[in-house]
Amino acid sequence: MHRIIKKKLQTNLKNIYNEVVSHKNMIVSFYKYFFVKDPKKLLNLITSKLEKKNILGRIYIAKEGINALISISDIQYRYFKHFFKRIDKKTKRMYMNYTIENKKIAFWNLKIKIKKQLVSSTINNFYFNRNNKGIYLNAFLVNKYFFDKDCIFLDMRNSYEYEIGHFSNAITLPAQTFREQLKKLPKYLKLHKHKKIVMYCTGGIRCEKSTALLKHHGFSNIYHIYGGILSYIKQVKKYNLPNYFKGKIFVFDARLSEKITNDILSKCITCDEYTDRTHINCFNNLCHRLFIQCRSCSIKLDSCCCLECKNIIHE
Ligand SMILES: [Zn+2]
Ligand SMILES: [Zn+2]
Protein backbone atom coordinates (compact mmCIF):
# COMPACT_ATOMS: atom_id res chain seq x y z
CA MET A 1 0.00 0.00 0.00
CA HIS A 2 1.13 3.50 -0.74
CA ARG A 3 2.84 4.91 2.32
CA ILE A 4 0.82 8.16 2.50
CA ILE A 5 -2.50 6.37 2.12
CA LYS A 6 -1.44 3.90 4.76
CA LYS A 7 -0.55 6.69 7.17
CA LYS A 8 -3.83 8.47 6.49
CA LEU A 9 -5.75 5.29 7.13
CA GLN A 10 -3.91 4.79 10.38
CA THR A 11 -4.73 8.30 11.61
CA ASN A 12 -8.33 7.86 10.57
CA LEU A 13 -8.57 4.65 12.53
CA LYS A 14 -6.91 6.32 15.46
CA ASN A 15 -9.45 9.18 15.35
CA ILE A 16 -12.36 6.76 15.21
CA TYR A 17 -10.89 4.82 18.10
CA ASN A 18 -10.43 7.98 20.18
CA GLU A 19 -13.96 9.05 19.45
CA VAL A 20 -15.41 5.75 20.59
CA VAL A 21 -13.30 5.57 23.70
CA SER A 22 -13.47 9.17 24.88
CA HIS A 23 -17.12 9.90 24.13
CA LYS A 24 -19.00 11.80 26.81
CA ASN A 25 -22.61 11.81 27.83
CA MET A 26 -24.67 14.94 27.45
CA ILE A 27 -27.93 15.98 29.05
CA VAL A 28 -30.05 17.69 26.45
CA SER A 29 -33.24 19.57 27.22
CA PHE A 30 -35.61 21.34 24.87
CA TYR A 31 -39.25 22.20 24.36
CA LYS A 32 -41.40 23.78 21.73
CA TYR A 33 -45.02 24.85 21.76
CA PHE A 34 -46.58 24.09 18.39
CA PHE A 35 -49.73 22.41 17.19
CA VAL A 36 -49.27 18.65 17.10
CA LYS A 37 -52.07 17.28 14.97
CA ASP A 38 -51.42 13.63 15.76
CA PRO A 39 -49.46 13.09 19.02
CA LYS A 40 -49.63 9.29 18.63
CA LYS A 41 -47.98 9.46 15.23
CA LEU A 42 -45.21 11.71 16.57
CA LEU A 43 -44.74 9.35 19.51
CA ASN A 44 -44.30 6.40 17.16
CA LEU A 45 -41.84 8.29 14.98
CA ILE A 46 -39.71 9.33 17.97
CA THR A 47 -39.88 5.88 19.55
CA SER A 48 -38.73 4.17 16.35
CA LYS A 49 -35.77 6.58 16.04
CA LEU A 50 -34.65 6.41 19.66
CA GLU A 51 -35.20 2.74 20.37
CA LYS A 52 -32.10 0.62 20.87
CA LYS A 53 -29.91 3.74 20.75
CA ASN A 54 -29.14 3.69 24.46
CA ILE A 55 -30.80 7.07 24.98
CA LEU A 56 -32.28 7.64 28.43
CA GLY A 57 -34.59 10.27 29.89
CA ARG A 58 -38.13 11.44 29.28
CA ILE A 59 -40.04 12.97 26.40
CA TYR A 60 -43.54 14.41 26.68
CA ILE A 61 -45.73 14.98 23.67
CA ALA A 62 -49.00 16.90 23.80
CA LYS A 63 -51.31 18.55 21.30
CA GLU A 64 -49.57 21.79 22.32
CA GLY A 65 -46.00 20.65 21.67
CA ILE A 66 -43.01 18.67 22.86
CA ASN A 67 -40.79 18.72 25.95
CA ALA A 68 -37.73 16.53 26.36
CA LEU A 69 -34.94 15.88 28.83
CA ILE A 70 -32.60 13.18 27.59
CA SER A 71 -29.15 11.80 28.17
CA ILE A 72 -27.28 11.12 24.97
CA SER A 73 -23.68 10.51 23.90
CA ASP A 74 -21.88 13.42 22.28
CA ILE A 75 -21.48 11.38 19.10
CA GLN A 76 -25.24 10.95 18.75
CA TYR A 77 -25.99 14.56 19.66
CA ARG A 78 -25.57 16.11 16.22
CA TYR A 79 -27.77 13.50 14.54
CA PHE A 80 -30.58 13.76 17.06
CA LYS A 81 -30.41 17.54 17.16
CA HIS A 82 -31.20 17.55 13.44
CA PHE A 83 -33.84 14.87 13.85
CA PHE A 84 -35.78 16.85 16.49
CA LYS A 85 -35.41 20.09 14.59
CA ARG A 86 -36.97 18.46 11.55
CA ILE A 87 -40.10 17.02 13.17
CA ASP A 88 -42.02 20.21 12.37
CA LYS A 89 -41.26 23.52 10.70
CA LYS A 90 -41.91 25.17 14.08
CA THR A 91 -39.17 23.14 15.80
CA LYS A 92 -36.56 24.18 13.24
CA ARG A 93 -35.23 27.03 15.35
CA MET A 94 -35.99 25.75 18.83
CA TYR A 95 -33.37 26.30 21.49
CA MET A 96 -31.66 23.15 22.74
CA ASN A 97 -29.80 23.30 25.99
CA TYR A 98 -27.08 20.81 26.78
CA THR A 99 -24.67 20.11 29.60
CA ILE A 100 -21.85 17.62 29.71
CA GLU A 101 -22.85 15.04 32.26
CA ASN A 102 -20.68 14.36 35.27
CA LYS A 103 -20.02 10.83 36.40
CA LYS A 104 -23.39 10.30 38.04
CA ILE A 105 -26.05 8.50 36.03
CA ALA A 106 -28.82 10.94 35.17
CA PHE A 107 -31.63 8.57 34.16
CA TRP A 108 -32.43 4.90 34.46
CA ASN A 109 -34.77 4.44 31.50
CA LEU A 110 -36.43 6.15 28.57
CA LYS A 111 -40.06 7.25 28.91
CA ILE A 112 -41.95 8.69 25.97
CA LYS A 113 -45.46 9.73 26.93
CA ILE A 114 -48.47 11.55 25.59
CA LYS A 115 -49.73 14.21 27.98
CA LYS A 116 -52.71 16.53 28.02
CA GLN A 117 -50.45 19.59 28.40
CA LEU A 118 -46.70 20.12 28.62
CA VAL A 119 -47.14 22.07 31.85
CA SER A 120 -50.58 22.23 33.34
CA SER A 121 -52.22 25.61 32.85
CA THR A 122 -55.91 24.71 33.10
CA ILE A 123 -57.34 27.59 35.06
CA ASN A 124 -60.52 29.65 34.78
CA ASN A 125 -61.06 31.66 31.59
CA PHE A 126 -57.53 31.13 30.33
CA TYR A 127 -56.77 29.57 27.03
CA PHE A 128 -53.05 29.54 26.32
CA ASN A 129 -52.25 31.42 23.15
CA ARG A 130 -48.66 30.74 22.18
CA ASN A 131 -48.64 33.79 19.90
CA ASN A 132 -49.44 36.23 22.69
CA LYS A 133 -46.65 35.80 25.21
CA GLY A 134 -43.97 38.01 26.76
CA ILE A 135 -40.90 39.42 25.04
CA TYR A 136 -37.75 37.29 25.18
CA LEU A 137 -34.65 38.67 26.87
CA ASN A 138 -31.09 37.56 26.23
CA ALA A 139 -28.44 37.72 28.97
CA PHE A 140 -27.29 41.23 27.94
CA LEU A 141 -30.80 42.60 28.43
CA VAL A 142 -31.39 40.59 31.59
CA ASN A 143 -28.32 42.24 33.11
CA LYS A 144 -29.50 45.65 31.96
CA TYR A 145 -32.96 45.17 33.47
CA PHE A 146 -31.41 43.80 36.64
CA PHE A 147 -30.45 47.39 37.57
CA ASP A 148 -33.63 49.00 36.28
CA LYS A 149 -35.62 50.37 39.24
CA ASP A 150 -38.77 50.15 37.20
CA CYS A 151 -38.40 46.43 36.79
CA ILE A 152 -39.17 43.44 38.95
CA PHE A 153 -37.85 39.91 38.59
CA LEU A 154 -40.24 37.06 39.34
CA ASP A 155 -39.02 33.51 39.89
CA MET A 156 -41.64 31.09 38.50
CA ARG A 157 -40.18 27.90 39.95
CA ASN A 158 -41.14 25.99 43.10
CA SER A 159 -40.00 27.33 46.44
CA TYR A 160 -37.50 24.49 46.95
CA GLU A 161 -35.82 25.56 43.72
CA TYR A 162 -35.82 29.26 44.62
CA GLU A 163 -34.46 28.43 48.07
CA ILE A 164 -31.05 27.18 46.85
CA GLY A 165 -30.44 29.72 44.10
CA HIS A 166 -32.02 32.70 42.32
CA PHE A 167 -31.41 36.18 40.94
CA SER A 168 -30.66 38.20 44.05
CA ASN A 169 -33.40 40.76 43.34
CA ALA A 170 -36.09 38.21 42.46
CA ILE A 171 -39.34 37.72 44.25
CA THR A 172 -41.19 34.43 44.35
CA LEU A 173 -44.82 33.43 44.46
CA PRO A 174 -45.26 30.71 47.07
CA ALA A 175 -47.52 27.91 45.86
CA GLN A 176 -47.60 24.12 45.83
CA THR A 177 -48.03 23.70 42.08
CA PHE A 178 -47.51 25.68 38.91
CA ARG A 179 -51.27 25.78 38.35
CA GLU A 180 -51.82 27.30 41.78
CA GLN A 181 -49.11 29.84 40.98
CA LEU A 182 -50.88 30.79 37.75
CA LYS A 183 -54.16 31.21 39.61
CA LYS A 184 -52.60 33.63 42.10
CA LEU A 185 -50.38 35.44 39.60
CA PRO A 186 -52.54 38.33 38.25
CA LYS A 187 -53.68 39.37 41.73
CA TYR A 188 -50.18 39.00 43.17
CA LEU A 189 -48.73 41.38 40.57
CA LYS A 190 -51.62 43.83 40.51
CA LEU A 191 -49.63 46.54 42.33
CA HIS A 192 -46.81 46.23 39.81
CA LYS A 193 -48.95 46.39 36.71
CA HIS A 194 -47.25 49.58 35.48
CA LYS A 195 -43.75 48.08 35.92
CA LYS A 196 -41.64 45.92 33.67
CA ILE A 197 -41.94 42.32 34.80
CA VAL A 198 -39.14 39.87 34.02
CA MET A 199 -40.10 36.25 34.59
CA TYR A 200 -37.87 33.22 34.57
CA CYS A 201 -37.80 29.49 35.25
CA THR A 202 -35.25 26.72 34.69
CA GLY A 203 -35.50 26.28 30.91
CA GLY A 204 -38.22 28.76 29.95
CA ILE A 205 -41.15 26.38 29.40
CA ARG A 206 -43.28 27.67 32.30
CA CYS A 207 -42.79 31.32 31.42
CA GLU A 208 -44.22 30.81 27.95
CA LYS A 209 -47.52 30.22 29.73
CA SER A 210 -47.16 32.56 32.70
CA THR A 211 -46.26 35.54 30.50
CA ALA A 212 -49.19 34.68 28.20
CA LEU A 213 -51.51 34.66 31.21
CA LEU A 214 -50.40 38.13 32.29
CA LYS A 215 -50.85 39.49 28.79
CA HIS A 216 -54.30 37.92 28.78
CA HIS A 217 -54.97 39.93 31.97
CA GLY A 218 -53.94 43.19 30.37
CA PHE A 219 -50.36 43.50 31.60
CA SER A 220 -48.26 45.11 28.90
CA ASN A 221 -44.58 45.14 29.92
CA ILE A 222 -43.99 41.43 30.23
CA TYR A 223 -40.62 39.78 29.58
CA HIS A 224 -39.10 36.34 30.06
CA ILE A 225 -35.57 35.02 29.88
CA TYR A 226 -35.00 33.18 26.61
CA GLY A 227 -34.11 29.56 27.41
CA GLY A 228 -34.47 30.25 31.14
CA ILE A 229 -31.68 30.19 33.71
CA LEU A 230 -29.87 27.42 31.80
CA SER A 231 -29.42 29.59 28.74
CA TYR A 232 -28.62 32.70 30.80
CA ILE A 233 -25.73 30.87 32.51
CA LYS A 234 -24.43 29.66 29.13
CA GLN A 235 -24.51 33.15 27.61
CA VAL A 236 -22.90 34.76 30.64
CA LYS A 237 -19.97 32.33 30.35
CA LYS A 238 -19.72 32.63 26.57
CA TYR A 239 -19.72 36.44 26.45
CA ASN A 240 -17.92 36.96 29.76
CA LEU A 241 -20.77 38.95 31.32
CA PRO A 242 -21.37 39.51 35.04
CA ASN A 243 -23.58 36.75 36.44
CA TYR A 244 -26.45 37.82 38.69
CA PHE A 245 -27.83 34.35 39.30
CA LYS A 246 -26.49 33.20 42.66
CA GLY A 247 -26.25 29.79 44.29
CA LYS A 248 -27.31 26.43 42.92
CA ILE A 249 -29.83 25.39 40.32
CA PHE A 250 -32.22 22.51 40.74
CA VAL A 251 -32.06 20.10 37.80
CA PHE A 252 -34.60 17.41 37.02
CA ASP A 253 -32.39 14.40 36.69
CA ALA A 254 -30.58 12.26 39.24
CA ARG A 255 -27.96 14.98 39.86
CA LEU A 256 -30.64 17.10 41.65
CA SER A 257 -28.66 20.31 41.72
CA GLU A 258 -25.82 22.03 39.92
CA LYS A 259 -23.59 24.64 41.53
CA ILE A 260 -23.54 27.95 39.63
CA THR A 261 -21.73 30.17 42.15
CA ASN A 262 -20.27 29.55 45.60
CA ASP A 263 -22.92 31.69 47.30
CA ILE A 264 -25.00 29.80 49.83
CA LEU A 265 -28.58 31.03 49.86
CA SER A 266 -30.30 28.21 51.71
CA LYS A 267 -30.80 28.00 55.46
CA CYS A 268 -31.25 25.11 57.87
CA ILE A 269 -34.95 24.57 58.66
CA THR A 270 -34.09 23.92 62.32
CA CYS A 271 -31.44 26.46 63.39
CA ASP A 272 -31.78 29.02 60.55
CA GLU A 273 -28.05 29.00 59.82
CA TYR A 274 -26.81 29.02 56.19
CA THR A 275 -26.01 25.56 54.85
CA ASP A 276 -25.20 24.24 51.38
CA ARG A 277 -26.54 20.74 52.02
CA THR A 278 -29.06 19.35 49.56
CA HIS A 279 -32.76 18.77 50.18
CA ILE A 280 -33.85 15.68 52.08
CA ASN A 281 -37.26 14.23 52.87
CA CYS A 282 -38.33 14.00 56.50
CA PHE A 283 -37.37 10.58 57.82
CA ASN A 284 -40.87 10.23 59.25
CA ASN A 285 -42.63 8.69 56.25
CA LEU A 286 -46.00 10.07 57.30
CA CYS A 287 -44.57 13.59 57.03
CA HIS A 288 -42.10 13.19 54.13
CA ARG A 289 -41.62 16.98 54.00
CA LEU A 290 -38.84 18.20 51.68
CA PHE A 291 -36.38 20.49 53.45
CA ILE A 292 -32.79 21.59 54.01
CA GLN A 293 -31.04 20.89 57.29
CA CYS A 294 -27.48 21.44 58.51
CA ARG A 295 -25.39 18.46 59.51
CA SER A 296 -25.53 18.96 63.26
CA CYS A 297 -29.31 19.49 63.34
CA SER A 298 -29.73 16.44 61.13
CA ILE A 299 -27.81 14.33 63.63
CA LYS A 300 -29.79 15.74 66.56
CA LEU A 301 -33.16 15.13 64.91
CA ASP A 302 -32.32 11.87 63.08
CA SER A 303 -33.01 13.59 59.73
CA CYS A 304 -36.51 14.58 60.78
CA CYS A 305 -37.97 18.02 60.12
CA CYS A 306 -38.95 18.55 63.77
CA LEU A 307 -38.98 16.97 67.22
CA GLU A 308 -42.54 15.66 66.80
CA CYS A 309 -41.51 13.68 63.73
CA LYS A 310 -38.44 12.36 65.53
CA ASN A 311 -40.61 11.18 68.41
CA ILE A 312 -42.96 9.41 66.00
CA ILE A 313 -40.16 7.35 64.41
CA HIS A 314 -38.94 6.30 67.85
CA GLU A 315 -42.34 5.27 69.17
ZN1 LIG B 1 -29.24 23.55 61.74
ZN1 LIG C 1 -41.49 15.81 59.43
Side-chain angles (χ1 to χ4, degrees):
M1 206 186 293
H2 196 284
R3 203 180 283 166
I4 297 172
I5 296 177
K6 199 178 168 189
K7 208 168 178 193
K8 215 173 176 186
L9 241 163
Q10 274 175 345
T11 27
N12 275 349
L13 279 173
K14 208 174 157 192
N15 285 344
I16 291 166
Y17 177 78
N18 281 341
E19 214 173 285
V20 172
V21 170
S22 68
H23 83 90
K24 290 187 183 101
N25 268 339
M26 296 166 87
I27 292 172
V28 183
S29 61
F30 58 89
Y31 68 85
K32 186 72 193 173
Y33 286 105
F34 67 101
F35 177 60
V36 180
K37 201 176 163 194
D38 190 346
K40 189 90 214 280
K41 199 174 151 194
L42 184 58
L43 178 127
N44 290 337
L45 171 73
I46 293 173
T47 309
S48 68
K49 279 280 173 197
L50 268 61
E51 250 175 2
K52 296 180 197 124
K53 291 282 191 336
N54 207 17
I55 293 167
L56 304 175
R58 56 136 187 89
I59 299 172
Y60 297 144
I61 300 160
K63 283 238 176 221
E64 64 177 14
I66 184 170
N67 177 17
L69 181 62
I70 49 175
S71 160
I72 200 167
S73 82
D74 55 354
I75 303 162
Q76 294 167 317
Y77 175 64
R78 193 182 292 223
Y79 173 78
F80 281 103
K81 184 174 147 184
H82 288 299
F83 165 69
F84 281 110
K85 291 201 171 199
R86 275 199 312 259
I87 57 176
D88 190 274
K89 56 178 187 289
K90 288 270 163 71
T91 59
K92 208 168 145 191
R93 293 184 62 198
M94 76 178 161
Y95 173 71
M96 293 176 97
N97 186 282
Y98 66 86
T99 42
I100 305 293
E101 201 176 333
N102 51 18
K103 285 191 187 91
K104 281 187 197 169
I105 292 166
F107 303 100
W108 299 101
N109 53 14
L110 175 67
K111 270 190 225 157
I112 309 175
K113 264 191 190 168
I114 292 179
K115 286 194 124 198
K116 258 195 164 149
Q117 292 178 302
L118 296 183
V119 283
S120 175
S121 61
T122 323
I123 55 168
N124 290 343
N125 305 323
F126 173 59
Y127 172 75
F128 170 58
N129 174 0
R130 63 175 188 268
N131 297 317
N132 185 33
K133 57 195 182 197
I135 298 165
Y136 287 130
L137 295 182
N138 60 25
F140 290 96
L141 289 169
V142 171
N143 285 358
K144 189 184 151 200
Y145 284 9
F146 186 82
F147 292 102
D148 188 334
K149 289 207 166 57
D150 226 24
C151 187
I152 58 166
F153 275 54
L154 179 64
D155 193 309
M156 285 306 293
R157 300 169 304 154
N158 295 317
S159 50
Y160 60 82
E161 300 173 74
Y162 177 84
E163 220 177 355
I164 58 169
H166 50 257
F167 281 94
S168 48
N169 60 351
I171 55 170
T172 175
L173 202 172
Q176 293 297 320
T177 61
F178 177 63
R179 233 178 75 189
E180 200 188 316
Q181 245 182 347
L182 281 184
K183 259 189 211 165
K184 291 178 173 175
L185 193 59
K187 208 173 161 192
Y188 184 73
L189 290 173
K190 214 172 162 186
L191 284 173
H192 305 293
K193 207 163 181 173
H194 58 284
K195 286 192 175 170
K196 292 187 199 98
I197 296 164
V198 175
M199 303 170 102
Y200 68 87
C201 58
T202 309
I205 191 166
R206 290 174 173 212
C207 293
E208 302 273 318
K209 285 191 167 174
S210 46
T211 60
L213 177 78
L214 288 180
K215 295 208 75 178
H216 173 77
H217 279 269
F219 286 75
S220 48
N221 301 315
I222 304 298
Y223 303 86
H224 47 150
I225 301 181
Y226 183 72
I229 304 160
L230 294 175
S231 163
Y232 173 81
I233 303 293
K234 276 254 158 71
Q235 292 174 57
V236 156
K237 279 184 191 155
K238 188 172 171 189
Y239 301 109
N240 215 356
L241 304 171
N243 168 28
Y244 298 116
F245 185 92
K246 303 289 176 214
K248 289 189 274 191
I249 181 170
F250 217 92
V251 288
F252 296 91
D253 54 60
R255 297 170 303 155
L256 284 181
S257 67
E258 196 184 313
K259 198 186 224 175
I260 306 298
T261 66
N262 288 324
D263 304 86
I264 297 165
L265 276 65
S266 46
K267 286 180 173 179
C268 168
I269 188 184
T270 315
C271 69
D272 211 33
E273 291 292 327
Y274 284 102
T275 171
D276 75 337
R277 295 187 93 202
T278 45
H279 282 86
I280 54 166
N281 283 105
C282 180
F283 204 69
N284 169 17
N285 273 331
L286 296 168
C287 169
H288 210 62
R289 185 170 162 190
L290 188 70
F291 59 89
I292 291 170
Q293 197 169 44
C294 76
R295 190 177 296 273
S296 66
C297 290
S298 227
I299 292 167
K300 264 185 251 162
L301 290 174
D302 294 334
S303 298
C304 286
C305 71
C306 59
L307 202 59
E308 285 82 61
C309 282
K310 181 186 166 171
N311 291 336
I312 286 170
I313 63 164
H314 288 293
E315 261 171 16

